C-alpha cells in the first residue's frame, strides 16, 4: 500500500449555523474516555474485563445501527440538534468492530480473530503485516492513541534490530460506517495491503476501546470556543508547528481576509474528522495504484520468482472480498483485469502465432471465472451489472483478448444463453468468430434470479410439492416432491459458485442439492431410454455424442463446484477467520432432500462419479485437451482423499452399473463415439476402489474402459475381432488429439493395474491379455506392460507365477512383431529382454522363439543376440538342462544360424560359423554359404573378418581362399596410404607367403590389380624378400631355405608394379604440390629410390626418372633445386 504522508483532504464541509454560544454554555471542550458517555453504557459494545453484563442501553443499540448504515452528514441533516452523548456513541460505534476485514486487508492469506492466541506457523506467516501488527500491539509498541471524531491517530514504535535502529511511525486512520476509508503511515512502505503499523493501531482500537481517548469531531470543539479561544488555539497551533504550517496558515489568512476569494464563497469549512458525506462511497480503503503496480510487476516477471503464485493469491483475495460482500472485490478485479489486458506479451504472442504458457493461461481462466461470479451476484443492482457489462464488452472487443479454448475457436452454440432465461441474449458476442475468456461472463449478464421456483429453492429448506405429478423431462419436482432445477448444467453450477463466492453458503448448498437430484433423475431416465432402444443402437453399431460440452474440463468447472460445495458441508470445514463460524451445522433441514441415510459427502462423491463418467467429445486445441486431463486428475485426487465406507461403496456399485449400461450417455457404455474422451484414468480409480469389494464389477469397468476407438481404422462396431493397427494420429483427422501420448500412457497404466491385480488368476490374466492385444497400439507401452508383468511374476519373495510369465512373454512377442519392420531405438533392449523372459518361462519357450525367429527378429538379432544367449553357459545353468536338452537346444540354435546366414550372409555368416563350430556338418554348411555369397553379396571387410576367423580356428587354407576372394573386391588408389584395409592386405600377403610359393604367386596378381598405393606395395615387397615362402610357420619358427628372386615371378611382377606406382604417385603429387610439402616430397622420393634400387638396373631407372622430373617440372625451380641437392 502506497501510504501517503500527506493527510487527504476532508470529505465534506462542516457548519452549525443553528448553534450559538448560548446553547453551549457549560459544555467543556475536553474529551472523555472512548467507552464512556452520559448514557452510562460504558464499554457495552466491546466487552471489557468485567464479568457482569448489563443489558445494552437503547442509546447504544440505536447508535450502533446508525453508525453502521448512515453517513454522519445525513444524521446531522435529519436532526436539527444532536445531543453530545448521542454523537459520542455514534462516533464510538463507527469504528470497525471485527478484526476479520483488517486481517483481509493486511495479508494475502486469511487470518483469524483468535490469531493473537495462535502461534505463527512458520517464518513466512510471521512476516505478514497482520501477524507483525499483532506482535507490535502485544509488545506495547502502540502509543499516543487518539480518536477525534471519525479519525484515529497514534504512534507505533518499530523496535531496533541488529541492522536497523528504532523507528517511530505516525499513523492516521479515517473511518466511516464500520469501514476504514483511508490510512497514512510514516513508514513509507509500498504494498497493496495495510502495513503492520496500521494493523497495530487498528487492533488497539478494536481490542482496547476503553483505553482510547474519544473526542467529538474537531469542528464540534471549535464551535464551543469564543473568539479569544479560537485565536489562542490558532496561534498555539502555528507556534508548535510553525515550520510546517506557517506558509499554509498565512495563505489561508490572506484568502479569508479577501472578500472575493474562493474560500469565502463556500459556506462552512472542511473537517477531516467529521465523518462521511452523503455522496461518499462507503468502502474499505484500497490503494488502487499499488494494486496496478503489483500486478504489472508480477506479469512482467513472466512466471518467475513466484509471480504466478502471487497472482493466484490476489485472485484468492478477490474471492475473499466477495465472500464478505465487500464491493472492493469487483473493484480490485477490474484493476487486475486492466493490467492483464495491457500485458505487452499478448500482442507479441498473437503476432508470432505462439501460445501463452500453461500457468499464464490458467490465470486467465481464473480471471474469467471470477467475472462470472461477480456478474452473477444475486443482489447486484441493475446499474452496476450494466456497468460491468460495458466494461466486459470493451475488453472482449480487444484483438489480443485471449480465447476461451486457447488458439482454437469454439464453434459451439451459445449454450449459456440457449436457456429459458437467456432466449434473448447478447448477440454482439455471438458475431465474434471466437469465444474469449469474458464471453461467458457477458452471457451471464442476461441471467437473473427472479424465477420464483429458483427463489424458493435457494431460500426455503422446506420447499416441496408432494402433489406434483408432472413426470415430464423438465418437471419442477421429482416423484418424491423434491425440487429440481433444469438449466444448462455449467450455468446452474455457476450460480452455485456465485452464491458461495458472495457469502451465501446456505443458498449455494440448497441449489447444489437440487441440481444433483436433477442430474440423478436425468441419469435414471437416460438409462431407461437406452434400455428401450438398446437393440436398435447395437444393431447399427454406432452412436452419436450426447454432450458437446463435457462437464469435466469445462471452463466453468461445474462438477468441481458441486463437489466442493457438498464436500465443505460434509466435512464441516470452515475458515476460522470468518464470523459465520460453524454455519455448516445450521443446515440440518437441507438433509430432507437427501436419500435416507445419505450424507453430503456421499452426494459429493456420487456427483463426481457422474461427471467423470459422462460421455463427452474431446474438445479442440491443445490447451482445452490438456485441461480435460488436468481437471479429471485433480477431481480424482480429491476423491482419493475420501475414505470409502460401505455406504460409499454402494454408490460406487450403483454408478458402475449405470456406466456399463448407460449407452451413449456413459463414457463406459457398450458403444461410444469415436472421438469421445477416454475413460482410462477414471476407470483405474474405479477399479482400485471396487476391487476389494466387487472384483467382477471392477474388471468389467476396467476392461470396458481399455478401448481407444480414435486409433482404430474403422468406427467401433459389434465385431470384437482384433482391430487393424494404425499410426497414433489418424492423418485425415481434424482436429488432432494433442494429448494422445498422455492418453495412451494412462491406458497403459490401467492395463498394468489389472495385470498386477490378476496375478494368480489364469482366467482373468487371459482376459486382460486379450484386451491389451486388442486395444493398445503403441509398441513402447506394450513393452512396458510386458516388463511390468515380468517384474510382478518374478518377485523375490514368492515363486514365479508361470501364467503371468506367459502373459509377459506373449506381450513381448507382440512387441517383436510390431517393431520388426520399423525403426525403434530400444529394439536391441527389447530383444535381449525377450530372451531373458523366455528363459524364465522355460526351455520350450526358447525353442519356440528360435523356431519362429523370422516373424520376430532380424537375422542379425537372431544370431548375434538370441542364439548366442541361448547357447551360453549362463542359460544352461539357469535352466538346469541335461545333455539331451542341451543338444536339442543347440540344434535349434544351429538351424537358426544357418537359416539366418542364408538370408543375410553379410551380417550373419560369422555368427553362424561360430555357433556351428561343434557340429562338423553344420560348420561345413555355413562355410559353403560364405563361399556362395562371397562373389556377390559380401564386402571385402566381411570376407577378411571371416578369413581371419578361419585362420584363428586352424583353417589356413580356407582363410587363404577367403582372403583371395576379399582381394577381388578391394581397390586401393595411389593416395589411400591410411586405408583401414591395408592391415588386411598385409595380413593376406603374410598368410600366402607362409603357405608357400604357389599361394604367394597366386595372390600377388590380385594385389597388383587391387592396390595402387606405392607405399603399401613397397611394404609388401619388402616383407616378401625377408624370408623364404612356406618356411616360416604361423608361430614364427625360422627354417633355412632359399629366398625368392626379385628377377623372377612372382616378385618381379610385384616390383614392377611398385616402381610404376611410385612413378604415377610422383606425377600425381607434383600436379598440385605446394612449397610447404617440398620436404615431405623429397622424403617420398628417397623411399622410391630404395624400391628402384631393389631391381638389378634400378640405379639407371631411378636416374632416368629424376632426369625426366627435372625436364618436365623445370618450372618448379626451388623444388628441382632440392631434388638436385639430394639426388644429383
Amino acid at each position: 500500500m502506497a501510504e501517503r504522508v500527506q493527510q487527504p483532504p476532508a470529505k465534506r464541509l462542516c457548519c452549525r449555523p443553528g448553534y450559538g454560544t448560548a446553547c453551549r454554555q457549560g459544555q467543556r471542550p475536553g474529551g472523555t474516555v472512548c467507552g464512556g458517555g452520559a448514557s452510562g453504557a460504558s464499554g457495552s459494545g466491546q466487552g471489557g474485563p468485567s464479568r457482569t453484563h448489563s443489558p445494552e442501553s437503547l442509546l447504544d443499540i440505536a447508535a450502533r445501527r446508525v453508525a453502521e448504515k448512515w453517513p454522519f452528514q445525513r444524521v446531522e441533516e435529519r436532526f436539527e440538534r444532536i445531543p453530545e452523548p448521542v454523537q459520542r456513541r455514534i462516533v464510538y460505534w463507527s469504528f470497525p468492530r471485527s478484526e476479520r476485514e483488517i486481517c483481509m486487508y493486511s495479508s494475502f492469506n486469511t487470518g483469524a480473530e483468535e490469531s493473537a492466541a495462535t502461534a505463527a506457523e512458520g517464518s513466512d506467516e510471521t512476516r505478514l503485516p497482520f501477524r507483525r501488527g499483532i506482535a507490535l500491539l502485544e509488545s506495547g509498541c502502540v502509543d499516543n492513541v487518539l480518536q477525534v471524531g471519525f479519525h484515529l491517530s497514534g504512534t507505533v514504535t518499530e523496535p531496533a534490530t541488529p541492522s536497523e535502529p528504532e523507528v517511530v511511525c505516525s499513523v492516521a486512520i479515517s473511518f466511516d460506517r464500520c469501514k476504514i476509508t483511508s490510512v497514512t503511515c510514516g513508514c513509507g512502505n509500498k504494498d497493496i495491503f495495510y502495513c503492520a503499523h496500521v494493523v497495530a493501531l487498528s487492533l488497539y482500537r478494536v481490542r482496547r476501546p476503553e483505553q482510547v481517548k474519544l473526542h467529538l469531531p474537531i469542528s464540534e470543539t471549535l464551535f464551543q470556543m469564543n473568539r479569544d479561544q479560537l485565536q489562542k488555539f490558532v496561534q498555539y497551533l502555528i507556534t508548535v508547528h510553525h515550520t510546517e504550517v506557517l506558509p499554509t496558515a498565512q495563505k489561508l489568512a490572506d484568502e479569508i481576509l479577501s472578500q472575493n476569494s474562493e474560500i469565502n464563497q463556500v459556506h462552512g469549512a472542511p473537517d477531516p474528522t467529521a465523518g462521511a458525506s452523503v455522496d461518499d462511497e462507503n468502502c474499505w480503503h484500497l490503494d488502487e495504484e499499488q494494486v496496478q503496480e503489483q500486478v504489472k510487476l508480477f506479469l512482467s516477471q513472466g512466471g518467475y520468482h513466484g509471480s504466478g503464485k502471487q497472482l493466484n493469491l490476489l485472485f484468492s483475495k478477490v474471492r475473499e472480498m466477495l465472500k464478505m460482500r465487500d464491493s472492493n472485490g469487483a473493484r480490485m478485479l477490474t484493476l487486475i483485469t486492466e493490467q492483464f489486458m495491457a500485458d505487452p506479451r499478448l500482442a507479441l504472442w498473437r503476432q508470432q502465432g505462439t501460445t501463452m504458457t500453461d500457468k499464464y493461461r490458467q490465470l486467465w481462466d481464473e480471471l474469467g471465472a471470477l467475472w462470472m461470479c461477480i456478474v452473477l451476484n444475486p443482489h447486484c443492482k441493475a446499474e452496476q451489472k450494466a456497468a460491468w457489462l460495458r466494461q466486459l464488452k470493451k475488453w472482449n472487443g480487444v484483438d489480443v483478448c485471449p480465447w476461451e479454448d486457447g488458439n482454437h475457436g469454439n464453434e459451439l452454440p451459445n449454450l449459456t444463453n440457449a436457456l429459458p432465461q437467456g432466449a434473448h441474449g447478447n448477440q454482439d458476442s455471438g458475431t465474434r468468430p471466437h469465444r474469449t475468456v469474458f464471453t461467458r461472463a457477458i452471457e451471464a449478464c442476461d441471467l437473473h434470479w427472479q424465477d420464483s421456483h429458483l427463489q424458493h429453492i435457494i431460500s426455503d429448506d422446506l420447499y416441496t410439492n408432494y402433489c406434483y405429478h408432472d413426470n415430464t423431462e423438465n418437471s419442477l419436482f421429482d416423484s418424491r416432491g423434491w425440487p429440481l432445477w433444469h438449466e444448462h448444467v455449467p450455468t446452474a453450477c455457476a450460480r452455485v459458485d456465485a452464491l458461495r463466492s458472495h457469502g451465501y453458503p446456505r443458498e449455494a448448498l440448497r441449489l447444489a442439492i437440487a441440481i444433483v437430484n436433477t442430474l440423478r433423475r436425468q441419469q435414471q431416465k437416460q438409462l431407461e431410454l437406452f434400455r428401450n432402444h438398446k437393440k436398435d443402437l447395437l444393431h447399427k453399431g454406432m452412436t452419436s455424442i450426447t454432450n458437446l460440452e463435457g462437464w469435466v474440463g469445462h471452463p466453468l468447472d461445474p462438477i468441481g463446484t458441486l463437489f466442493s460445495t457438498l464436500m465443505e458441508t460434509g466435512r464441516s470445514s470452515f475458515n476460522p477467520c470468518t464470523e459465520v463460524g460453524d454455519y455448516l451445522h445450521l443446515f440440518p433441514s437441507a438433509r430432507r432432500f437427501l436419500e435416507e441415510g445419505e450424507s453430503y459427502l456421499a452426494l459429493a462423491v456420487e456427483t463426481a462419479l457422474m461427471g467423470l463418467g459422462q460421455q463427452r467429445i474431446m474438445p479442440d486445441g491443445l490447451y482445452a485437451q490438456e485441461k480435460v486431463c488436468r481437471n479429471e486428475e485433480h477431481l480424482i485426487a480429491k476423491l482419493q482423499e475420501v475414505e470409502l465406507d460401505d455406504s460409499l461403496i454402494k454408490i460406487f456399485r450403483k454408478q458402475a452399473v449405470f456406466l456399463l449400461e448407460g449407452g451413449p450417455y456413459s463414457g463406459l457404455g457398450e458403444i461410444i463415439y469415436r472421438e469421445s474422451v477416454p475413460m482410462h484414468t477414471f476407470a483405474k480409480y474405479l477399479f482400485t476402489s471396487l476391487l476389494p469389494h466387487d472384483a467382477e464389477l471392477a474388471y468389467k469397468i476396467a476392461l470396458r474402459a481399455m478401448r481407444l476407438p480414435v486409433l482404430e481404422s474403422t468406427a467401433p462396431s459389434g465385431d470384437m475381432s482384433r482391430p487393424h493397427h494404425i499410426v497414433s494420429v489418424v492423418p485425415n483427422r481434424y482436429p488432432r488429439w494433442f494429448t494422445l501420448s498422455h492418453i495412451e500412457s494412462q491406458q497403459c497404466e490401467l492395463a498394468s493395474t489389472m495385470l498386477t491385480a490378476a496375478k494368480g488368476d489364469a482366467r482373468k490374466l487371459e482376459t486382460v491379455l486379450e484386451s491389451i492385444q486388442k486395444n493398445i497400439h503403441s509398441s513402447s507401452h506394450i513393452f512396458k506392460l510386458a516388463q511390468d508383468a515380468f517384474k510382478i511374476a518374478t518377485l523375490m519373495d514368492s515363486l514365479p507365477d508361470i501364467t503371468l510369465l506367459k502373459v509377459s512373454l506373449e506381450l513381448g512377442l507382440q512387441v517383436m512383431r510390431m517393431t520388426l519392420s520399423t525403426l525403434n531405438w530400444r529394439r536391441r533392449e527389447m530383444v535381449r529382454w525377450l530372451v531373458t523372459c523366455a528363459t524364465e518361462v522355460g526351455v520350450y519357450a526358447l525353442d519356440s522363439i528360435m523356431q519362429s525367429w523370422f516373424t520376430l527378429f532380424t537375422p542379425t538379432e537372431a544370431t548375434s543376440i538370441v542364439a548366442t544367449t541361448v547357447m551360453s553357459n549362463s542359460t544352461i545353468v539357469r535352466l538346469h538342462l541335461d545333455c539331451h536338452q542341451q543338444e536339442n537346444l543347440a540344434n535349434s540354435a544351429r538351424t537358426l544360424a544357418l537359416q539366418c546366414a542364408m538370408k543375410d550372409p553379410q551380417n550373419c555368416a560369422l555368427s553362424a560359423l561360430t555357433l556351428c563350430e561343434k557340429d562338423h556338418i553344420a560348420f561345413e554348411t555355413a562355410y559353403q554359404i560364405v563361399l556362395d555369397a562371397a562373389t556377390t553379396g559380401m564386402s571385402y571387410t566381411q570376407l577378411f573378418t571371416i578369413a581371419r576367423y578361419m585362420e584363428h580356428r586352424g583353417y589356413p587354407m580356407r582363410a587363404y581362399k577367403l582372403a583371395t576372394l576379399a582381394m577381388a573386391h578391394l581397390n586401393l588408389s595411389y593416395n589411400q596410404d591410411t586405408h583401414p584395409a591395408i592391415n588386411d592386405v598385409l595380413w593376406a600377403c603374410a598368410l600366402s607367403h607362409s603357405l608357400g610359393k604357389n599361394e604367394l604367386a597366386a595372390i600377388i596378381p590380385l594385389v597388383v590389380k587391387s592396390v595402387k598405393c606405392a607405399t603399401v606395395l613397397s611394404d609388401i615387397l619388402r616383407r616378401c624378400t625377408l624370408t623364404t615362402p612356406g618356411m616360416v610357420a604361423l608361430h614364427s619358427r625360422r627354417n633355412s631355405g632359399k629366398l625368392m628372386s626379385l628377377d623372377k615371378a612372382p616378385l618381379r611382377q610385384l616390383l614392377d608394379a611398385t616402381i610404376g606406382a611410385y612413378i604415377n604417385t610422383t606425377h600425381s603429387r607434383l600436379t598440385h604440390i605446394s612449397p610447404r610439402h617440398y620436404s615431405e616430397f623429397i622424403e617420398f622420393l628417397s623411399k622410391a629410390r630404395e624400391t628402384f634400387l631393389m631391381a638389378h638396373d634400378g640405379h639407371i631407372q631411378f636416374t632416368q626418372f629424376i632426369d625426366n622430373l627435372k625436364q618436365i617440372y623445370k618450372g618448379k625451380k626451388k623444388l628441382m633445386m632440392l631434388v638436385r641437392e639430394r639426388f644429383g
Side-chain angles (χ1 to χ4, degrees):
M1 181 186 68
E3 288 153 354
R4 299 171 291 277
V5 177
Q6 293 80 15
Q7 181 72 27
K11 292 184 178 179
R12 65 186 181 91
L13 304 176
C14 297
C15 180
R16 294 288 195 280
Y19 277 57
T21 56
C23 69
R24 299 187 182 275
Q25 296 300 321
Q27 292 184 358
R28 54 190 175 84
T32 62
V33 174
C34 185
S39 66
S42 175
S44 61
Q46 291 297 321
S50 173
R51 295 187 180 182
T52 60
H53 298 280
S54 301
E56 195 170 11
S57 69
L58 184 60
L59 170 60
D60 270 313
I61 294 172
R64 185 168 68 248
R65 298 301 294 173
V66 168
E68 291 173 356
K69 303 296 183 183
W70 284 26
F72 196 65
Q73 183 182 4
R74 178 167 294 172
V75 177
E76 293 176 324
E77 291 173 352
R78 177 69 176 79
F79 304 100
E80 181 179 351
R81 182 178 181 278
I82 306 171
E84 182 178 335
V86 175
Q87 290 190 56
R88 291 185 181 280
R89 300 315 294 165
I90 293 175
V91 169
Y92 171 82
W93 289 114
S94 290
F95 196 84
R97 297 185 287 278
S98 167
E99 297 181 11
R100 182 183 174 198
E101 287 85 357
I102 298 170
C103 170
M104 182 173 72
Y105 280 94
S106 59
S107 55
F108 266 125
N109 66 334
T110 54
E113 287 192 8
E114 64 272 17
S115 55
T118 60
E121 299 177 0
S123 59
D124 287 341
E125 191 173 349
T126 59
R127 290 197 295 268
L128 292 172
F130 186 74
R131 296 290 183 188
R132 288 181 51 234
I134 291 175
L136 290 171
L137 172 65
E138 293 177 343
S139 57
C141 296
V142 182
D143 201 6
N144 304 317
V145 181
L146 174 68
Q147 180 178 341
V148 180
F150 297 88
H151 185 273
L152 183 71
S153 62
T155 58
V156 180
T157 303
E158 190 78 57
T161 65
S163 58
E164 297 290 339
E166 180 181 276
V167 178
V168 178
C169 300
S170 298
V171 184
I173 299 173
S174 296
F175 52 92
D176 169 44
R177 284 167 278 179
C178 301
K179 294 183 177 69
I180 293 175
T181 56
S182 71
V183 300
T184 59
C185 181
C187 68
N189 180 53
K190 292 185 177 182
D191 198 355
I192 294 176
F193 304 116
Y194 302 168
C195 66
H197 314 111
V198 171
V199 172
L201 180 61
S202 302
L203 296 185
Y204 187 97
R205 172 61 176 80
V206 172
R207 297 183 180 186
R208 306 171 186 175
E210 72 284 350
Q211 297 180 19
V212 178
K213 194 95 168 179
L214 187 149
H215 299 263
L216 293 178
I218 192 68
S219 54
E220 291 290 335
T221 305
L222 294 177
F223 281 134
Q224 299 174 20
M225 299 182 185
N226 57 32
R227 186 189 178 285
D228 292 338
Q229 290 173 320
L230 285 171
Q231 182 167 358
K232 182 178 290 187
F233 170 77
V234 172
Q235 289 183 215
Y236 266 100
L237 180 64
I238 293 173
T239 301
V240 174
H241 301 287
H242 67 280
T243 58
E244 301 168 19
V245 304
L246 186 58
T248 303
Q250 185 59 57
K251 179 183 176 183
L252 290 174
D254 293 341
E255 290 183 3
I256 290 172
L257 292 175
S258 174
Q259 293 295 327
N260 299 323
S261 65
E262 183 179 350
I263 199 171
N264 285 321
Q265 307 303 316
V266 178
H267 187 60
D271 180 2
T273 68
S277 67
V278 175
D279 300 327
D280 286 343
E281 185 180 359
N282 182 228
C283 61
W284 284 78
H285 171 71
L286 178 70
D287 194 323
E288 296 187 2
E289 181 182 349
Q290 275 305 306
V291 172
Q292 293 173 318
E293 287 298 318
Q294 290 290 322
V295 175
K296 186 176 181 180
L297 174 63
F298 294 150
L299 289 174
S300 68
Q301 293 172 350
Y304 302 102
H305 312 295
S307 59
K309 180 181 178 182
Q310 296 296 318
L311 288 167
N312 275 316
L313 288 172
L314 279 180
F315 287 144
S316 298
K317 184 59 64 178
V318 171
R319 286 194 178 273
E320 188 182 351
M321 291 176 174
L322 295 180
K323 183 168 281 189
M324 294 170 69
R325 303 171 197 175
D326 189 333
S327 61
N328 278 340
R331 187 172 158 211
M332 187 170 179
L333 186 62
T334 301
L335 298 172
I336 295 172
T337 307
E338 287 173 348
Q339 292 305 310
F340 266 72
M341 290 298 297
D343 190 344
R345 292 178 296 171
L346 290 177
L348 183 63
W349 285 330
R350 180 64 60 88
Q351 181 182 359
Q352 295 176 344
T354 55
T355 58
M356 61 180 71
T357 62
D358 192 56
K359 288 185 178 179
Y360 189 53
R361 177 72 243 193
Q362 290 178 45
L363 292 173
W364 275 102
D365 281 354
E366 178 65 8
L367 201 64
L370 281 170
W371 275 114
M372 188 83 173
C373 284
I374 283 175
V375 301
L376 277 177
N377 183 351
H379 294 102
C380 172
K381 295 180 180 178
E383 58 270 20
Q384 182 65 73
K385 183 180 284 191
W388 287 333
L389 179 59
R390 288 192 298 272
Q391 183 64 66
L392 288 168
K393 284 186 174 181
K394 178 182 175 183
W395 290 326
N396 192 67
V398 178
D399 284 342
V400 296
C401 184
W403 299 340
E404 183 179 73
D405 55 354
N407 282 353
H408 288 72
N410 193 338
E411 303 302 328
L412 292 173
N414 186 334
L415 293 176
T416 305
N417 285 332
L419 305 167
Q421 291 194 21
H424 306 288
N426 288 295
Q427 298 302 316
D428 293 351
S429 60
T431 60
R432 290 178 58 82
H434 301 288
R435 296 171 65 85
T436 74
V437 292
F438 300 117
T439 301
R440 293 185 185 272
I442 291 172
E443 293 169 357
C445 288
D446 289 317
L447 301 175
H448 60 74
W449 297 83
Q450 277 71 52
D451 184 278
S452 60
H453 183 59
L454 175 62
Q455 284 295 318
H456 279 103
I457 289 174
I458 64 177
S459 61
D460 189 355
D461 285 328
L462 307 177
Y463 181 47
T464 55
N465 190 336
Y466 297 110
C467 300
Y468 192 89
H469 299 297
D470 181 6
N471 200 29
T472 61
E473 184 178 349
N474 293 319
S475 57
L476 301 180
F477 299 88
D478 62 15
S479 58
R480 300 165 297 188
W482 295 357
L484 305 173
W485 180 242
H486 296 279
E487 190 175 28
H488 176 235
V489 173
T491 307
C493 295
R495 292 183 185 274
V496 175
D497 191 28
L499 288 169
R500 289 175 65 215
S501 298
H502 287 284
Y504 300 99
R506 286 174 176 268
E507 292 80 356
L509 178 64
R510 292 173 185 138
L511 182 55
I513 293 174
I515 293 171
V516 175
N517 283 332
T518 306
L519 293 179
R520 291 201 289 195
R521 179 175 179 270
Q522 289 175 349
Q523 188 184 58
Q524 186 60 39
K525 286 192 171 294
Q526 288 168 354
L527 180 59
E528 295 170 0
L529 180 64
F530 174 66
R531 284 173 175 170
N532 294 334
H533 298 85
K534 183 175 182 179
K535 290 183 179 179
D536 294 338
L537 284 172
L538 291 180
H539 178 70
K540 293 178 182 177
M542 57 185 298
T543 182
S544 60
I545 195 72
T546 57
N547 295 287
L548 293 177
E549 256 189 332
W551 299 334
V552 175
H554 191 280
L556 299 179
D557 191 21
I559 298 300
T561 298
L562 293 175
F563 183 78
S564 299
T565 303
L566 295 165
M567 284 294 289
E568 285 177 4
T569 312
R571 289 175 171 173
S572 298
S573 60
F574 60 93
N575 187 340
C577 182
T578 62
E579 293 181 341
V580 292
D582 230 350
Y583 72 81
L584 298 168
H585 296 302
L586 303 178
F587 300 164
S589 54
R591 289 184 179 274
R592 72 167 50 245
F593 300 128
L594 302 182
E595 298 284 356
E596 184 177 352
E598 188 175 39
S599 65
Y600 294 123
L601 177 64
L603 195 62
V605 170
E606 185 169 10
T607 303
L609 297 181
M610 285 192 288
L612 289 166
Q614 176 204 29
Q615 184 180 172
R616 56 210 185 260
I617 194 170
M618 179 67 78
D620 298 347
L622 171 62
Y623 178 72
Q625 292 175 14
E626 287 181 338
K627 191 171 183 179
V628 167
C629 298
R630 184 169 56 248
N631 282 24
E632 180 184 40
E633 290 167 2
H634 177 73
L635 191 53
I636 290 173
K638 292 290 185 183
L639 283 171
Q640 287 172 333
E641 296 174 2
V642 178
E643 186 175 347
L644 302 182
D645 55 20
D646 291 341
S647 62
L648 292 179
I649 292 301
K650 183 179 178 182
I651 291 173
F652 271 72
R653 283 197 175 101
K654 168 189 167 185
Q655 285 300 318
V657 170
F658 170 79
L659 289 170
L660 291 172
E661 300 180 3
Y665 306 97
S666 164
L668 290 169
E670 289 183 58
I671 47 178
I672 57 170
Y673 184 61
R674 185 168 182 265
E675 294 179 12
S676 291
V677 174
M679 296 281 118
H680 308 125
T681 308
F682 177 44
K684 179 186 172 185
Y685 168 69
L686 285 179
F687 178 80
T688 54
S689 301
L690 284 170
L691 189 64
H693 310 281
D694 192 337
E696 288 299 321
L697 185 58
Y699 276 100
K700 283 182 182 179
I701 287 284
L703 290 169
R704 179 73 62 80
M706 276 292 291
R707 61 198 171 184
L708 189 53
V710 75
L711 291 185
E712 308 299 341
S713 57
T714 58
S717 65
D719 179 16
M720 299 305 289
S721 61
R722 184 183 179 84
H724 299 292
H725 174 65
I726 57 174
V727 293
S728 290
V729 177
V730 181
N732 61 353
R733 181 184 181 278
Y734 184 83
R736 294 173 55 205
W737 282 32
F738 297 94
T739 55
L740 190 57
S741 61
H742 173 74
I743 290 168
E744 287 186 289
S745 68
Q746 292 300 307
Q747 183 189 36
C748 178
E749 287 296 320
L750 173 60
S752 180
T753 304
M754 283 196 288
L755 284 175
T756 305
K759 181 180 181 181
D761 189 327
R763 184 180 63 84
K764 284 191 171 62
L765 282 174
E766 183 179 355
T767 307
V768 175
L769 174 61
E770 290 175 0
S771 179
I772 292 170
Q773 292 175 323
K774 171 181 168 59
N775 295 298
I776 298 184
H777 304 289
S778 166
S779 59
S780 60
H781 288 133
I782 297 178
F783 182 53
K784 180 185 182 300
L785 288 172
Q787 290 178 305
D788 290 348
F790 183 79
K791 291 175 184 175
I792 299 164
T794 56
L795 291 175
M796 297 298 293
D797 58 349
S798 62
L799 293 174
D801 186 318
I802 191 63
T803 308
L804 194 52
L805 273 176
K806 290 178 179 178
V807 169
S808 176
L809 178 63
E810 188 60 37
L811 292 173
L813 294 175
Q814 183 178 349
V815 173
M816 292 296 102
R817 288 189 286 267
M818 291 174 68
T819 59
L820 179 59
S821 58
T822 59
L823 294 175
N824 191 306
W825 64 274
R826 298 184 67 189
R827 173 75 184 177
R828 193 170 183 84
E829 175 195 354
M830 292 173 173
V831 174
R832 291 187 182 280
W833 177 87
L834 183 73
V835 177
T836 303
C837 182
T839 304
E840 288 295 322
V841 174
V843 65
Y844 68 93
L846 289 174
D847 190 61
S848 175
I849 65 173
M850 287 194 293
Q851 295 287 347
S852 57
W853 71 267
F854 48 88
T855 65
L856 304 171
F857 314 108
T858 64
T860 306
E861 293 168 346
T863 54
S864 64
I865 301 177
V866 180
T868 304
T869 306
V870 167
M871 294 187 68
S872 65
N873 288 330
S874 60
T875 302
I876 295 170
V877 172
R878 178 73 182 87
L879 294 173
H880 308 291
L881 300 180
D882 57 30
C883 294
H884 178 69
Q885 290 175 318
Q886 291 181 35
E887 186 58 29
N888 287 340
L889 208 57
N891 285 335
S892 296
R894 287 192 284 266
T895 302
L896 175 150
L898 292 175
Q899 291 172 346
C900 292
M902 287 288 290
K903 191 170 184 178
D904 185 8
Q906 297 93 332
N907 297 309
C908 301
L910 181 58
S911 296
L913 287 166
T914 305
L915 290 166
C916 296
E917 284 176 355
K918 295 182 179 180
D919 187 294
H920 176 71
I921 296 175
F923 187 82
E924 290 298 321
T925 305
Y927 176 63
Q928 189 59 45
I929 291 171
V930 175
L931 293 180
D932 293 342
T935 56
T936 55
M938 300 187 73
S939 67
Y940 63 84
T941 304
Q942 294 163 339
L943 289 170
F944 274 131
T945 303
I946 297 173
R948 286 177 180 265
Y949 163 79
M950 284 295 186
E951 184 198 23
H952 179 70
R953 301 306 300 171
Y955 300 102
M957 289 306 298
R958 291 186 177 184
Y960 167 76
K961 174 66 175 175
L962 292 170
T964 58
L965 292 172
M967 290 297 298
H969 293 282
L970 182 64
N971 183 23
L972 282 180
S973 63
Y974 76 93
N975 59 352
Q976 291 183 296
D977 51 359
T978 58
H979 195 281
I982 292 174
N983 286 332
D984 289 324
V985 174
L986 295 175
W987 169 81
C989 291
L991 175 65
S992 303
H993 189 274
S994 67
L995 292 174
K997 181 178 179 181
N998 292 336
E999 286 77 9
L1000 182 61
I1003 203 170
I1004 282 179
L1006 296 174
V1007 172
V1008 170
K1009 181 180 178 181
S1010 301
V1011 181
K1012 307 300 180 186
C1013 182
T1015 54
V1016 175
L1017 289 172
S1018 64
D1019 195 5
I1020 295 171
L1021 181 63
R1022 182 182 58 80
R1023 295 183 184 210
C1024 288
T1025 58
L1026 293 177
T1027 58
T1028 305
M1031 301 304 293
V1032 179
L1034 293 177
H1035 299 287
S1036 300
R1037 289 181 295 180
R1038 290 183 176 273
N1039 291 314
S1040 60
K1042 187 177 180 182
L1043 296 175
M1044 293 182 69
S1045 172
L1046 291 172
D1047 295 330
K1048 297 179 182 180
L1051 293 189
R1052 180 65 192 186
Q1053 184 183 0
L1054 181 58
L1055 176 60
D1056 291 343
T1058 306
I1059 291 172
Y1062 268 116
I1063 293 171
N1064 291 334
T1065 304
T1066 300
H1067 287 295
S1068 296
R1069 295 183 69 169
L1070 283 172
T1071 304
H1072 302 291
I1073 196 169
S1074 62
R1076 60 179 178 165
H1077 295 130
Y1078 284 175
S1079 59
E1080 181 185 338
F1081 178 73
I1082 296 299
E1083 294 302 322
F1084 175 75
L1085 286 181
S1086 298
K1087 292 181 180 179
R1089 182 171 60 178
E1090 294 175 3
T1091 302
F1092 272 82
L1093 294 178
M1094 295 175 75
H1096 73 279
D1097 57 348
H1099 179 74
I1100 298 171
Q1101 288 187 53
F1102 186 72
T1103 302
Q1104 290 175 348
F1105 174 53
I1106 293 297
D1107 290 342
N1108 287 337
L1109 290 180
K1110 293 175 185 176
Q1111 183 64 32
I1112 296 171
Y1113 302 101
K1114 58 185 177 181
K1116 300 181 183 293
K1117 296 179 180 179
K1118 184 176 180 181
L1119 178 58
M1120 291 304 107
M1121 183 182 68
L1122 294 173
V1123 170
R1124 290 190 193 95
E1125 288 178 358
R1126 176 69 68 92
F1127 307 107

